[in-house]
Amino acid sequence: MTDIVELKFVNSDARPKEAVVHCQRASIAPIMAWYGAYYAGDRYAVFSDGHKLTKDRNGELAA
């Protein structure tokens, strides 16, 4: 059985404001790293199944 989660990015500086990805839990960190690099400088939050995730200054998943 796969562990699929809803990963949601809410970005105040982008249009559309919300982007949702359904992915395996193990993919959260690399997706956040990509998003953080692509949207560097934007004001955004990341949620996994409705829970806000903590990101570091580069937008990567904080340990």
Side-chain angles (χ1 to χ4, degrees):
M1 180 176 176
T2 59
D3 187 19
I4 302 295
V5 297
E6 178 185 270
L7 188 62
K8 179 166 65 170
F9 295 88
V10 180
N11 188 332
S12 299
D13 299 322
R15 297 293 176 262
K17 196 171 207 165
E18 292 185 5
V20 176
V21 177
H22 291 94
C23 64
Q24 291 183 346
R25 190 172 302 281
S27 298
I28 291 174
I31 293 171
M32 284 182 66
W34 173 85
Y35 192 93
Y38 194 78
Y39 288 100
D42 283 9
R43 298 167 294 145
Y44 68 91
V46 185
F47 300 86
S48 175
D49 286 341
H51 300 289
K52 188 173 183 180
L53 301 178
T54 304
K55 53 186 173 71
D56 66 12
R57 63 190 299 178
N58 295 319
E60 296 186 30
L61 184 61

mmCIF file of all heavy atoms in Angstrom, residues 31-60:
data_model
loop_
_atom_site.group_PDB
_atom_site.id
_atom_site.type_symbol
_atom_site.label_atom_id
_atom_site.label_comp_id
_atom_site.label_asym_id
_atom_site.label_seq_id
_atom_site.Cartn_x
_atom_site.Cartn_y
_atom_site.Cartn_z
ATOM 1 N N ILE A 31 10.190 17.565 -3.485
ATOM 2 C CA ILE A 31 9.244 18.493 -4.133
ATOM 3 C C ILE A 31 9.348 19.870 -3.490
ATOM 4 O O ILE A 31 9.362 20.889 -4.182
ATOM 5 C CB ILE A 31 7.806 17.943 -4.074
ATOM 6 C CG1 ILE A 31 7.684 16.686 -4.944
ATOM 7 C CG2 ILE A 31 6.803 19.008 -4.507
ATOM 8 C CD1 ILE A 31 6.374 15.939 -4.781
ATOM 9 N N MET A 32 9.457 19.915 -2.172
ATOM 10 C CA MET A 32 9.610 21.202 -1.487
ATOM 11 C C MET A 32 10.915 21.883 -1.882
ATOM 12 O O MET A 32 10.955 23.106 -2.041
ATOM 13 C CB MET A 32 9.540 21.022 0.026
ATOM 14 C CG MET A 32 8.143 20.794 0.545
ATOM 15 S SD MET A 32 8.076 20.650 2.348
ATOM 16 C CE MET A 32 8.558 22.306 2.857
ATOM 17 N N ALA A 33 11.987 21.108 -2.050
ATOM 18 C CA ALA A 33 13.268 21.685 -2.460
ATOM 19 C C ALA A 33 13.144 22.303 -3.855
ATOM 20 O O ALA A 33 13.641 23.412 -4.099
ATOM 21 C CB ALA A 33 14.362 20.623 -2.434
ATOM 22 N N TRP A 34 12.487 21.602 -4.775
ATOM 23 C CA TRP A 34 12.290 22.131 -6.124
ATOM 24 C C TRP A 34 11.450 23.407 -6.069
ATOM 25 O O TRP A 34 11.802 24.414 -6.680
ATOM 26 C CB TRP A 34 11.597 21.091 -7.014
ATOM 27 C CG TRP A 34 11.229 21.673 -8.338
ATOM 28 C CD1 TRP A 34 12.019 21.776 -9.435
ATOM 29 C CD2 TRP A 34 9.978 22.291 -8.682
ATOM 30 N NE1 TRP A 34 11.336 22.413 -10.442
ATOM 31 C CE2 TRP A 34 10.085 22.742 -10.016
ATOM 32 C CE3 TRP A 34 8.791 22.505 -7.998
ATOM 33 C CZ2 TRP A 34 9.035 23.387 -10.660
ATOM 34 C CZ3 TRP A 34 7.753 23.155 -8.647
ATOM 35 C CH2 TRP A 34 7.889 23.575 -9.963
ATOM 36 N N TYR A 35 10.332 23.367 -5.351
ATOM 37 C CA TYR A 35 9.441 24.518 -5.275
ATOM 38 C C TYR A 35 10.177 25.717 -4.671
ATOM 39 O O TYR A 35 10.061 26.842 -5.163
ATOM 40 C CB TYR A 35 8.200 24.175 -4.448
ATOM 41 C CG TYR A 35 7.099 25.204 -4.556
ATOM 42 C CD1 TYR A 35 6.090 25.057 -5.495
ATOM 43 C CD2 TYR A 35 7.056 26.320 -3.731
ATOM 44 C CE1 TYR A 35 5.069 25.994 -5.608
ATOM 45 C CE2 TYR A 35 6.050 27.261 -3.838
ATOM 46 C CZ TYR A 35 5.062 27.100 -4.774
ATOM 47 O OH TYR A 35 4.057 28.028 -4.895
ATOM 48 N N GLY A 36 10.937 25.459 -3.600
ATOM 49 C CA GLY A 36 11.693 26.532 -2.949
ATOM 50 C C GLY A 36 12.711 27.178 -3.879
ATOM 51 O O GLY A 36 12.928 28.390 -3.832
ATOM 52 N N ALA A 37 13.338 26.381 -4.740
ATOM 53 C CA ALA A 37 14.306 26.926 -5.692
ATOM 54 C C ALA A 37 13.595 27.714 -6.785
ATOM 55 O O ALA A 37 14.056 28.779 -7.197
ATOM 56 C CB ALA A 37 15.127 25.794 -6.298
ATOM 57 N N TYR A 38 12.488 27.206 -7.245
ATOM 58 C CA TYR A 38 11.753 27.835 -8.341
ATOM 59 C C TYR A 38 11.051 29.128 -7.899
ATOM 60 O O TYR A 38 10.977 30.085 -8.654
ATOM 61 C CB TYR A 38 10.738 26.847 -8.912
ATOM 62 C CG TYR A 38 10.171 27.253 -10.241
ATOM 63 C CD1 TYR A 38 10.899 27.072 -11.412
ATOM 64 C CD2 TYR A 38 8.913 27.825 -10.327
ATOM 65 C CE1 TYR A 38 10.380 27.462 -12.643
ATOM 66 C CE2 TYR A 38 8.391 28.207 -11.554
ATOM 67 C CZ TYR A 38 9.129 28.020 -12.703
ATOM 68 O OH TYR A 38 8.614 28.402 -13.911
ATOM 69 N N TYR A 39 10.536 29.149 -6.688
ATOM 70 C CA TYR A 39 9.793 30.303 -6.189
ATOM 71 C C TYR A 39 10.555 31.043 -5.090
ATOM 72 O O TYR A 39 9.955 31.605 -4.169
ATOM 73 C CB TYR A 39 8.410 29.871 -5.684
ATOM 74 C CG TYR A 39 7.480 29.490 -6.809
ATOM 75 C CD1 TYR A 39 7.270 28.158 -7.144
ATOM 76 C CD2 TYR A 39 6.829 30.461 -7.550
ATOM 77 C CE1 TYR A 39 6.437 27.804 -8.188
ATOM 78 C CE2 TYR A 39 5.983 30.124 -8.594
ATOM 79 C CZ TYR A 39 5.798 28.794 -8.910
ATOM 80 O OH TYR A 39 4.967 28.451 -9.946
ATOM 81 N N ALA A 40 11.867 31.070 -5.200
ATOM 82 C CA ALA A 40 12.706 31.759 -4.212
ATOM 83 C C ALA A 40 12.256 33.215 -4.073
ATOM 84 O O ALA A 40 12.012 33.898 -5.059
ATOM 85 C CB ALA A 40 14.164 31.696 -4.632
ATOM 86 N N GLY A 41 12.108 33.659 -2.851
ATOM 87 C CA GLY A 41 11.707 35.039 -2.592
ATOM 88 C C GLY A 41 10.215 35.244 -2.439
ATOM 89 O O GLY A 41 9.787 36.283 -1.945
ATOM 90 N N ASP A 42 9.410 34.268 -2.867
ATOM 91 C CA ASP A 42 7.960 34.383 -2.709
ATOM 92 C C ASP A 42 7.555 34.095 -1.262
ATOM 93 O O ASP A 42 8.247 33.394 -0.535
ATOM 94 C CB ASP A 42 7.231 33.392 -3.614
ATOM 95 C CG ASP A 42 7.186 33.840 -5.062
ATOM 96 O OD1 ASP A 42 7.866 34.829 -5.402
ATOM 97 O OD2 ASP A 42 6.488 33.188 -5.855
ATOM 98 N N ARG A 43 6.397 34.633 -0.891
ATOM 99 C CA ARG A 43 5.822 34.354 0.425
ATOM 100 C C ARG A 43 4.843 33.195 0.260
ATOM 101 O O ARG A 43 3.813 33.357 -0.391
ATOM 102 C CB ARG A 43 5.087 35.582 0.962
ATOM 103 C CG ARG A 43 5.992 36.780 1.176
ATOM 104 C CD ARG A 43 5.194 38.046 1.397
ATOM 105 N NE ARG A 43 4.465 38.373 0.155
ATOM 106 C CZ ARG A 43 3.259 38.917 0.112
ATOM 107 N NH1 ARG A 43 2.616 39.229 1.213
ATOM 108 N NH2 ARG A 43 2.680 39.171 -1.047
ATOM 109 N N TYR A 44 5.195 32.030 0.820
ATOM 110 C CA TYR A 44 4.313 30.872 0.666
ATOM 111 C C TYR A 44 4.396 29.953 1.879
ATOM 112 O O TYR A 44 5.350 29.998 2.657
ATOM 113 C CB TYR A 44 4.642 30.098 -0.611
ATOM 114 C CG TYR A 44 5.967 29.392 -0.612
ATOM 115 C CD1 TYR A 44 6.062 28.069 -0.182
ATOM 116 C CD2 TYR A 44 7.116 30.022 -1.043
ATOM 117 C CE1 TYR A 44 7.278 27.407 -0.189
ATOM 118 C CE2 TYR A 44 8.322 29.379 -1.056
ATOM 119 C CZ TYR A 44 8.406 28.065 -0.628
ATOM 120 O OH TYR A 44 9.613 27.420 -0.627
ATOM 121 N N ALA A 45 3.356 29.147 2.027
ATOM 122 C CA ALA A 45 3.288 28.129 3.079
ATOM 123 C C ALA A 45 3.035 26.787 2.410
ATOM 124 O O ALA A 45 2.496 26.725 1.302
ATOM 125 C CB ALA A 45 2.168 28.455 4.064
ATOM 126 N N VAL A 46 3.419 25.719 3.098
ATOM 127 C CA VAL A 46 3.260 24.368 2.563
ATOM 128 C C VAL A 46 2.476 23.544 3.582
ATOM 129 O O VAL A 46 2.758 23.586 4.780
ATOM 130 C CB VAL A 46 4.628 23.705 2.294
ATOM 131 C CG1 VAL A 46 4.443 22.348 1.633
ATOM 132 C CG2 VAL A 46 5.519 24.597 1.453
ATOM 133 N N PHE A 47 1.501 22.776 3.075
ATOM 134 C CA PHE A 47 0.666 21.941 3.928
ATOM 135 C C PHE A 47 0.675 20.507 3.409
ATOM 136 O O PHE A 47 0.645 20.279 2.204
ATOM 137 C CB PHE A 47 -0.774 22.461 3.926
ATOM 138 C CG PHE A 47 -0.900 23.859 4.430
ATOM 139 C CD1 PHE A 47 -0.728 24.941 3.578
ATOM 140 C CD2 PHE A 47 -1.181 24.104 5.758
ATOM 141 C CE1 PHE A 47 -0.845 26.238 4.028
ATOM 142 C CE2 PHE A 47 -1.296 25.409 6.232
ATOM 143 C CZ PHE A 47 -1.126 26.474 5.366
ATOM 144 N N SER A 48 0.708 19.565 4.331
ATOM 145 C CA SER A 48 0.592 18.145 3.992
ATOM 146 C C SER A 48 -0.642 17.615 4.707
ATOM 147 O O SER A 48 -0.684 17.611 5.950
ATOM 148 C CB SER A 48 1.838 17.375 4.429
ATOM 149 O OG SER A 48 1.667 15.994 4.210
ATOM 150 N N ASP A 49 -1.633 17.204 3.927
ATOM 151 C CA ASP A 49 -2.913 16.739 4.478
ATOM 152 C C ASP A 49 -3.465 17.725 5.510
ATOM 153 O O ASP A 49 -3.963 17.342 6.557
ATOM 154 C CB ASP A 49 -2.765 15.346 5.088
ATOM 155 C CG ASP A 49 -2.639 14.261 4.026
ATOM 156 O OD1 ASP A 49 -3.019 14.518 2.853
ATOM 157 O OD2 ASP A 49 -2.175 13.152 4.359
ATOM 158 N N GLY A 50 -3.338 19.021 5.214
ATOM 159 C CA GLY A 50 -3.904 20.062 6.061
ATOM 160 C C GLY A 50 -3.022 20.542 7.192
ATOM 161 O O GLY A 50 -3.370 21.508 7.879
ATOM 162 N N HIS A 51 -1.876 19.907 7.404
ATOM 163 C CA HIS A 51 -0.960 20.308 8.477
ATOM 164 C C HIS A 51 0.167 21.146 7.884
ATOM 165 O O HIS A 51 0.826 20.722 6.926
ATOM 166 C CB HIS A 51 -0.370 19.089 9.184
ATOM 167 C CG HIS A 51 -1.405 18.214 9.810
ATOM 168 N ND1 HIS A 51 -2.116 18.595 10.923
ATOM 169 C CD2 HIS A 51 -1.865 16.992 9.465
ATOM 170 C CE1 HIS A 51 -2.967 17.636 11.236
ATOM 171 N NE2 HIS A 51 -2.836 16.652 10.355
ATOM 172 N N LYS A 52 0.393 22.323 8.477
ATOM 173 C CA LYS A 52 1.441 23.212 7.980
ATOM 174 C C LYS A 52 2.814 22.602 8.241
ATOM 175 O O LYS A 52 3.101 22.155 9.359
ATOM 176 C CB LYS A 52 1.340 24.588 8.643
ATOM 177 C CG LYS A 52 2.262 25.615 8.038
ATOM 178 C CD LYS A 52 1.997 26.992 8.607
ATOM 179 C CE LYS A 52 2.886 28.011 7.922
ATOM 180 N NZ LYS A 52 2.629 29.344 8.460
ATOM 181 N N LEU A 53 3.650 22.589 7.217
ATOM 182 C CA LEU A 53 5.004 22.061 7.333
ATOM 183 C C LEU A 53 5.974 23.210 7.589
ATOM 184 O O LEU A 53 5.783 24.324 7.110
ATOM 185 C CB LEU A 53 5.408 21.323 6.053
ATOM 186 C CG LEU A 53 4.529 20.139 5.661
ATOM 187 C CD1 LEU A 53 5.019 19.540 4.338
ATOM 188 C CD2 LEU A 53 4.542 19.073 6.749
ATOM 189 N N THR A 54 7.027 22.923 8.326
ATOM 190 C CA THR A 54 8.057 23.900 8.601
ATOM 191 C C THR A 54 9.114 23.809 7.514
ATOM 192 O O THR A 54 9.596 22.724 7.208
ATOM 193 C CB THR A 54 8.695 23.648 9.986
ATOM 194 O OG1 THR A 54 7.666 23.651 10.970
ATOM 195 C CG2 THR A 54 9.712 24.720 10.314
ATOM 196 N N LYS A 55 9.451 24.970 6.948
ATOM 197 C CA LYS A 55 10.478 24.987 5.909
ATOM 198 C C LYS A 55 11.655 25.831 6.385
ATOM 199 O O LYS A 55 11.486 26.716 7.224
ATOM 200 C CB LYS A 55 9.920 25.498 4.592
ATOM 201 C CG LYS A 55 9.218 26.822 4.631
ATOM 202 C CD LYS A 55 8.587 27.131 3.277
ATOM 203 C CE LYS A 55 7.739 28.350 3.294
ATOM 204 N NZ LYS A 55 8.371 29.620 3.400
ATOM 205 N N ASP A 56 12.834 25.529 5.837
ATOM 206 C CA ASP A 56 13.999 26.316 6.215
ATOM 207 C C ASP A 56 14.101 27.553 5.312
ATOM 208 O O ASP A 56 13.217 27.806 4.494
ATOM 209 C CB ASP A 56 15.273 25.458 6.175
ATOM 210 C CG ASP A 56 15.662 24.987 4.785
ATOM 211 O OD1 ASP A 56 15.118 25.479 3.775
ATOM 212 O OD2 ASP A 56 16.546 24.100 4.706
ATOM 213 N N ARG A 57 15.162 28.319 5.438
ATOM 214 C CA ARG A 57 15.284 29.573 4.682
ATOM 215 C C ARG A 57 15.398 29.364 3.175
ATOM 216 O O ARG A 57 15.204 30.281 2.396
ATOM 217 C CB ARG A 57 16.461 30.380 5.202
ATOM 218 C CG ARG A 57 17.782 29.659 4.997
ATOM 219 C CD ARG A 57 18.929 30.317 5.703
ATOM 220 N NE ARG A 57 19.127 31.663 5.227
ATOM 221 C CZ ARG A 57 20.023 32.495 5.674
ATOM 222 N NH1 ARG A 57 20.838 32.117 6.611
ATOM 223 N NH2 ARG A 57 20.130 33.705 5.186
ATOM 224 N N ASN A 58 15.687 28.121 2.761
ATOM 225 C CA ASN A 58 15.756 27.794 1.326
ATOM 226 C C ASN A 58 14.452 27.192 0.805
ATOM 227 O O ASN A 58 14.376 26.813 -0.359
ATOM 228 C CB ASN A 58 16.907 26.843 1.060
ATOM 229 C CG ASN A 58 18.239 27.467 1.355
ATOM 230 O OD1 ASN A 58 18.474 28.624 1.037
ATOM 231 N ND2 ASN A 58 19.126 26.720 1.991
ATOM 232 N N GLY A 59 13.479 27.054 1.674
ATOM 233 C CA GLY A 59 12.203 26.487 1.272
ATOM 234 C C GLY A 59 12.164 24.966 1.365
ATOM 235 O O GLY A 59 11.181 24.346 0.977
ATOM 236 N N GLU A 60 13.229 24.376 1.904
ATOM 237 C CA GLU A 60 13.263 22.925 2.048
ATOM 238 C C GLU A 60 12.624 22.513 3.365
ATOM 239 O O GLU A 60 12.531 23.294 4.306
ATOM 240 C CB GLU A 60 14.709 22.425 1.976
ATOM 241 C CG GLU A 60 15.336 22.693 0.614
ATOM 242 C CD GLU A 60 16.703 22.085 0.465
ATOM 243 O OE1 GLU A 60 16.979 21.036 1.081
ATOM 244 O OE2 GLU A 60 17.513 22.665 -0.282
#
